[in-house]
Amino acid sequence: MTSTPARPTGAMPVTVPVPVPITVPVTVHPSGPLRGTVEVPGDKSVSHRALILGTLAVGETTVEGLLEGEDVIATAAAMRAFGASVRRLGPGRWSVHGLGTGGLLEPEDVIDCGNAGTGVRLIMGMMATCPIAATFTGDASLRRRPMGRILAPLAGFGAVAAGRAGGLLPLTLTGARDPVPVTYRLPVASAQVKSAVLLAGLNAPGETVVIESEATRDHTERMLTAFGAEVSMAPHPEGGRAIRVLGRPELTPCHVVVPRDPSSAAFPVAAGLIAPGSEVTVPGISLNPTRAGFYDTLLDMGADLALENRRDASGEPVADLCARHSGALRGVAVPPERAPSMIDEYPVLAALAAYAEGDTVMRGIGELRVKESDRISAMVACLAANGVAVTEHEDGMTVHGLGPDGVPGGATVATELDHRIAMSALCLGLGAQAPVTVDDARPIATSFPGFMPIMEALGARLERTEPASAEVETAGVEA
Ligand code: S3P
């Protein structure tokens, strides 16, 4: 599009290309049966932490099975900016030469964490007790997400943040020169906040304590222990549990084997339960109890899901998952206390619930409103547009299931820069009567870069629409 604004006489008109975001719409046609075995990528939470703890250890940490999605790649780049040497040795195999807990260098440029809330929050924690400053930003989604929840406890260590109103990115964090340890009770069930505080505690003298009322994912505690930090967990007299870390340890480098991501596995598993005649196997998935709530919920719904060959891999319980379409899902009320263990799986559960008989009630999940998008309103809009009745609550939603053959489909879903909304909507379309389109599938690359080829190999009928040819827009401006 070219616009020609009025200009003062004599000024030379110049046309400059203005980049407009390229979106990649994808349509899913009713599909099935889906059959096969899929290898989902490494766990996103564990991948971020492996790079960060590798940076804080002295010497070489090696990582196997690292998720090579955009979120984690942004963390790898950030670790380089703080002085670590981070190299890719081969697919999923990475090496990090770390600097020690007090050895971070001041980045020379802005740290862009892209779409990654986990990345930016954990990295801010990591540097909050080092005498350096760093400026952080991210994409439009990340710039809308609340950072005050970590800036408050980090201020307790002595870090100072300067940024936009409401604690939004971009912001500059100046780490404490003389940090003091903190004791902090989490006001929200958030592993990101817990982890940011524990990481900050590593470079503060003495003991830092985080108290959580509900158990959230515990990868930071597990990995800190593996790297040689003194970490302990115990019930707290006033309720919940206290996690203690002793500051200034010498972290010893590790070989980290990243388990496969249960949050990514949720999509092919849900797809197998939605598309008629399907049988989908997803081997080697982490069933860490702080992450496995979605699979408990599927069993409550009567899903034909087998958790086979349970074993231990690098300290994480793993199993092979096999989902078969049985057409007999029933709606359930998900216990609100299960929320932290399946917090990222509610969007795909909402899609699946459309195919169940009866209502699926999901409450106590107000946190979904501050994820990559407001996932409650995004899924309510997605389902309603595709003919599924859904009731929105401030802290959740109730999906009024239509049974295995009842979802009309036929609409376009706004993915709101949110990978999990995009993948959930594509799963919804697999069993619908009419195709479902997502307006932009690009965000999927943040967590599950191989999602579309994997789904196609299973038998899903996906159709990409080429991005509009006008990738740049020109605007007339004055010289
Ligand atoms: C994560 C914690 C969760 C989760 C996110 C990853 C982590 O966020 O939603 O995808 O790796 O610690 P909150 O801590 O904000 O609940």
Side-chain angles (χ1 to χ4, degrees), residues 43-46 48-49 117-119 121-122 145 149 188-195 216-217 219-220 263 291 340 343-344 367 370-372 375 419-420:
D43 189 86
K44 183 150 72 73
S45 295
V46 174
H48 283 296
R49 287 159 171 82
T118 305
R121 292 185 175 124
L122 268 57
R145 298 182 65 185
R149 55 177 54 197
V188 283
S190 167
Q192 292 178 358
V193 180
K194 170 176 70 176
S195 302
T216 64
R217 65 190 68 192
H219 307 299
T220 303
S263 298
R291 297 289 299 281
I343 194 71
D344 292 336
E367 271 294 294
V370 290
K371 297 292 179 187
E372 285 83 330
R375 288 182 171 163
H419 52 133
R420 299 202 199 280

Side-chain angles (χ1 to χ4, degrees), residues 25-392:
V26 171
T27 297
V28 57
H29 295 270
S31 307
L34 306 185
R35 287 181 174 268
T37 298
V38 298
E39 298 202 332
V40 304
D43 189 86
K44 183 150 72 73
S45 295
V46 174
S47 296
H48 283 296
R49 287 159 171 82
L51 296 172
I52 292 170
L53 288 191
T55 296
L56 296 177
V58 181
E60 185 184 16
T61 285
T62 45
V63 190
E64 199 179 312
L66 189 90
L67 165 64
E68 294 178 334
E70 289 170 3
D71 278 12
V72 176
I73 299 300
T75 291
M79 294 306 100
R80 286 193 190 105
F82 281 100
S85 155
V86 182
R87 284 179 306 135
R88 184 177 192 261
L89 307 174
R93 292 195 306 112
W94 288 64
S95 147
V96 184
H97 271 273
L99 307 152
T101 48
L104 298 181
L105 305 181
E106 186 164 270
E108 289 175 4
D109 203 349
V110 173
I111 305 291
D112 186 344
C113 289
N115 192 251
T118 305
V120 76
R121 292 185 175 124
L122 268 57
I123 296 168
M124 284 200 253
M126 170 192 88
M127 63 140 293
T129 46
C130 297
I132 53 174
T135 301
F136 296 90
T137 192
D139 71 3
S141 155
L142 194 58
R143 293 195 308 271
R144 283 192 292 266
R145 298 182 65 185
M147 295 299 142
R149 55 177 54 197
I150 63 155
L151 299 179
L154 297 184
F157 288 96
V160 177
R164 291 167 61 208
L168 299 179
L169 299 176
L171 65 80
T172 299
L173 190 66
T174 304
R177 190 159 290 278
D178 297 305
V180 288
V182 305
T183 292
Y184 189 69
R185 181 178 275 276
L186 296 179
V188 283
S190 167
Q192 292 178 358
V193 180
K194 170 176 70 176
S195 302
V197 176
L198 292 173
L199 292 171
L202 288 177
N203 201 37
E207 191 177 69
T208 287
V209 186
V210 183
I211 304 144
E212 59 179 6
S213 306
E214 298 163 81
T216 64
R217 65 190 68 192
D218 60 0
H219 307 299
T220 303
E221 297 92 303
R222 285 179 190 244
M223 208 183 282
L224 276 172
T225 305
F227 274 78
E230 271 189 51
V231 184
S232 67
M233 276 81 78
H236 190 269
E238 284 159 34
R241 62 175 198 150
I243 303 129
R244 293 164 196 279
V245 67
L246 203 57
R248 310 249 161 105
E250 168 114 357
L251 296 182
T252 40
C254 279
H255 178 65
V256 181
V257 181
V258 181
R260 295 184 192 276
D261 197 323
S263 298
S264 296
F267 297 103
V269 165
L273 298 174
I274 288 173
S278 299
E279 180 169 333
V280 175
T281 302
V282 196
I285 302 304
S286 164
L287 286 185
N288 176 320
T290 61
R291 297 289 299 281
F294 175 68
Y295 300 102
D296 295 333
T297 303
L298 294 185
L299 295 174
D300 291 350
M301 294 174 84
D304 186 345
L305 173 73
L307 311 178
E308 292 160 351
N309 194 14
R310 285 177 185 265
R311 57 202 184 274
D312 184 273
S314 271
E316 293 273 346
V318 301
D320 303 335
L321 313 182
C322 181
R324 290 183 200 85
H325 179 262
S326 67
L329 296 176
R330 53 178 181 272
V332 293
V334 183
E337 62 275 14
R338 196 180 279 169
S341 68
M342 54 176 289
I343 194 71
D344 292 336
E345 283 66 79
Y346 283 94
V348 70
L349 178 64
L352 191 65
Y355 291 93
E357 303 282 358
D359 290 355
T360 296
V361 184
M362 295 168 258
R363 303 296 299 257
I365 53 170
E367 271 294 294
L368 258 67
R369 294 201 182 273
V370 290
K371 297 292 179 187
E372 285 83 330
S373 68
D374 175 343
R375 288 182 171 163
I376 295 174
S377 77
M379 282 314 292
V380 166
C382 162
L383 292 171
N386 284 289
V388 182
V390 51
T391 307
E392 180 168 359

